[in-house]
Amino acid sequence: MQPFAEAAAQQCPYCGEEVEVAVDPIGVASETYIEDCPVCCRPWTVRVSRDEEGFTVNLGRDDD
């Protein structure tokens, strides 16, 4: 049975709004993908790192 995604509260690097990013707590050690902000629609670079303690999420500007 697959676990459900967990929500990670983050701040949009463009508009500054607090947003929730859905993250699967189980997966590869690190991954990077592009996702659009649900508020301002600008693209983020989402970086997820996982270890035995849990996961961390960082949002970056796509134009960085």
Side-chain angles (χ1 to χ4, degrees):
M1 183 174 184
Q2 282 288 97
F4 293 106
E6 295 183 18
Q10 295 289 307
Q11 186 174 21
C12 175
Y14 291 102
C15 68
E17 288 292 321
E18 185 171 305
V19 294
E20 288 190 349
V21 179
V23 176
D24 188 348
I26 298 175
V28 296
S30 65
E31 66 179 309
T32 301
Y33 58 92
I34 305 296
E35 187 172 322
D36 291 339
C37 176
V39 178
C40 70
C41 301
R42 307 264 325 254
W44 308 317
T45 300
V46 181
R47 292 178 185 85
V48 181
S49 299
R50 296 177 186 88
D51 60 22
E52 55 279 340
E53 305 275 325
F55 64 88
T56 58
V57 177
N58 292 303
L59 299 181
R61 295 171 62 110
D62 190 45
D63 58 3
D64 284 344

